[in-house]
Amino acid sequence: MPFGQLVIGPAGSGKTTYCNGMQQYLTLLGRKTVVVNLDPANDSLPYECVIDISELVSLQEVQENLKLGPNGGLVYCLDYLDSNLDWLQEKLALVQNDDASYVLFDLPGQVEIFTLHDNLRHIVDTITNKWDYRLAAVHLVDAHLCTDPAKYISALLLSLSTMLHLELPHVNLLSKIDLIEQYGKLQFNLDFYTEVQDLSYLVQAMGNDAFSKRYRKLSQGLCEVVEDYGLLNFTPLAIEDKESVQHVLSLIDKANGHVFAGLASGQNPYPAEFVYGAGLTAADTGDMVSKFEEKYVVKSVQERIPAA
């Protein structure tokens, strides 16, 4: 039974760097892992790519022949892949014959692909339901968005929309957490941004400029929508930090079921209740967030004062 990750996120969030680092880490763990590049615009790959969508369709030729821009060309390429999934199935079958049972899918960074269009959703449905892959969506959001309340709210909406659209087990990551202080100071402790609770404080922190005043009520309503769903939380990630990658992989293994795979095969010597209790707890995650805050975030945050 193959397992894997669907690596998604806006352009520049670090998806390709993540795939490279995760592939190296999984290889060190002894997992035979392959990376599937489904981004036809990504022509500089730092990782060993076994399957590349550019072998099927060329973004440059699509743009030239159909007179499309970069975004329209990428949507067309995913539509073309959706119409030729037998190509991907054949490629994956060859990989599975080589005993590689873990797959990383590197996706384009155009957000409309994983929030609006049906092509990726149909591709994912085929991979999971017909080809019996166990996938978890790994959604990367650049941590520097936390330094601006308005940008952080937009990241929340993007993450929530993606979760509802793809309907996969989801792990949301704040990538590049080790670089966060280069973009400005956080107004709250790091756990405020990872737990996604009490967002009313975020609206208060938006300031009193003309834009914030005009759209404060809208921002409040959007925050209430996010809180009402109660689905979101984030895990910080520094891809060059081994402990961080290990923590993230533990969450993903629990999301896609890899941690429970030994139960079905009968190869796990431990009882089921032990395995189910062996995953990360909220305390483990809280400890990791605290470590990141001490390591990467300068202590200069304001107190959360309840509104009068």
Side-chain angles (χ1 to χ4, degrees), residues 134-148:
R134 298 293 180 262
L135 299 181
V138 181
H139 188 202
L140 278 71
V141 173
D142 200 320
H144 89 269
L145 298 178
C146 296
T147 61
D148 186 315

Side-chain angles (χ1 to χ4, degrees), residues 48-62:
E48 180 183 351
C49 182
V50 176
I51 304 174
D52 194 339
I53 191 176
S54 62
E55 299 174 7
L56 175 69
V57 58
S58 168
L59 177 61
Q60 182 176 356
E61 292 181 4
V62 167

Side-chain angles (χ1 to χ4, degrees), residues 246-303:
Q246 180 182 17
H247 179 78
V248 167
L249 181 60
S250 298
L251 292 173
I252 296 169
D253 282 349
K254 196 170 183 180
N256 63 16
H258 188 276
V259 71
F260 311 124
L263 295 177
S265 63
Q267 299 175 354
N268 197 311
Y270 304 105
E273 58 271 17
F274 179 85
V275 176
Y276 276 88
L280 290 170
T281 65
D284 296 327
T285 301
D287 290 343
M288 180 60 65
V289 172
S290 298
K291 289 180 181 179
F292 274 116
E293 187 158 33
E294 293 175 1
K295 192 172 184 179
Y296 299 119
V297 182
V298 175
K299 290 285 188 177
S300 60
V301 299
Q302 69 182 50
E303 296 293 331

Side-chain angles (χ1 to χ4, degrees), residues 18 22 25 173-178 235-252 280 288 291-292 295-296:
Y18 170 86
M22 184 59 71
Y25 185 74
L173 303 179
L174 290 176
S175 63
K176 308 178 189 177
I177 195 69
D178 50 325
T235 300
L237 169 69
I239 193 62
E240 296 183 355
D241 188 316
K242 180 181 177 181
E243 188 178 8
S244 173
V245 177
Q246 180 182 17
H247 179 78
V248 167
L249 181 60
S250 298
L251 292 173
I252 296 169
L280 290 170
M288 180 60 65
K291 289 180 181 179
F292 274 116
K295 192 172 184 179
Y296 299 119

Side-chain angles (χ1 to χ4, degrees), residues 20 32 39 49 55 63 72 103 153 164 184 209 219 225 236 257 264 279:
N20 184 34
K32 294 184 178 180
D39 183 0
C49 182
E55 299 174 7
Q63 291 182 254
V103 185
I153 292 175
L164 298 176
D209 57 276
S219 299
V225 169

Side-chain angles (χ1 to χ4, degrees), residues 108-121:
Q110 276 58 36
V111 297
E112 60 266 31
I113 290 176
F114 45 86
T115 58
L116 296 174
H117 292 285
D118 290 332
N119 46 25
L120 180 59
R121 182 172 178 174

